[in-house]
Amino acid sequence: MTNLWFTEKWSKDTRFSIKVKTHLYSEKTPFQQIDFFNSEEYGNFFTLDGFIMVTEKDEFIYHDMITHVPMGTNPKIKKVLVIGAGDGGTVRELTKYDHIEKIDMVEIDERVVLLCEKYLPITACKLRDKRVNLYFQDGLEFVKDSKEIYDLIIVDSTDPISVGEGLFTENFYKNCFRILSEEGILVNQHESPFYENFKVEMVKAHQKLKNIFPIATVYQIHQPTYASGHWMLGFASKKYDPILNHNPEQWESLNIKTKYYNSNIHKGAFALPNYVLDIL
Ligand code: AG3
């Protein structure tokens, strides 16, 4: 009888563990350590450098909220740039919108895409959609050189302590601003306010976005497998406020099927607890 557990460090003195049935695959690429596991409670899940990125059980929360919140604010978005997100969950949600014309996805590590297509088809299922263009390169370089203009940029990155570091820099955010349309929105994964090691990164990212975008705020999700379960996403925008311009009627008329997102969750996610307001 094996007794195999995956354990992730959440803070100096806190760890989170999932009982593993099978360690499906392990590979060190030039960018990072990739591992896939199978478990009873969370189904298949994968980690980058030892941090959980996607589990079959809770991925719908993060992917709904990183995608449908900007779409609910401006349901007319047509051209989208996705950075990171090699598992495909964000792209899967975007492809639910028939009127989205173009989705450029920039993932630094092609191995993540190929392995997720094998072990996590639940998220990777739409990466070969006709509207999706895959670029395997550094997102930092892509936005620096891009001549395209996008309505929405979704930064679905790893933590700033690893290969995702460049995607939390002022330089990167400035280039995102440059290639967004007048009505453009940027949403990014924004770490957690709870444990100190994540909190410092969250505050730094927010300050940088606030200096560049006229509208910059954060919203919260409950993500059981990300450190503390209290995870943030950032919303930065040139024109649209996610609450004042929230467009529930128009979004609801699109009839998009979601497992987590709805118009009340949209509003509620921006209601922040005092300990978060205090550090913004
Ligand atoms: N996004 C990863 C979010 C950050 C995870 N960090 C952590 N567990 N410490 C990529 C996966 C979702 N597409």
Side-chain angles (χ1 to χ4, degrees), residues 168 190-193 196-210 218 232 275-276 278-280:
F168 286 80
H190 223 293
E191 304 294 290
S192 167
E196 193 59 32
N197 41 327
F198 291 97
K199 181 178 113 181
V200 289
E201 300 301 338
M202 182 199 135
V203 172
K204 275 197 279 182
H206 179 65
Q207 293 307 328
K208 289 177 199 166
L209 284 163
K210 233 170 53 176
V218 296
M232 308 305 286
Y275 89 102
V276 174
D278 286 348
I279 55 171
L280 292 182

Side-chain angles (χ1 to χ4, degrees), residues 51-54 62-63 87 156-157 159 189 198 226 231:
F51 287 100
I52 294 174
M53 294 292 124
V54 165
Y62 177 93
H63 292 127
D87 55 85
D156 180 4
S157 64
D159 300 327
Q189 87 81 4
F198 291 97
Y226 289 175
W231 205 258

Side-chain angles (χ1 to χ4, degrees), residues 3 20 24 38 53 74-75 84 99 105 143 162 179 191 228 234 245:
N3 198 14
V20 165
L24 298 166
N38 173 255
M53 294 292 124
N74 176 15
H99 70 275
M105 190 185 109
V143 297
S162 64
I179 61 169
E191 304 294 290
S228 85
N245 300 107

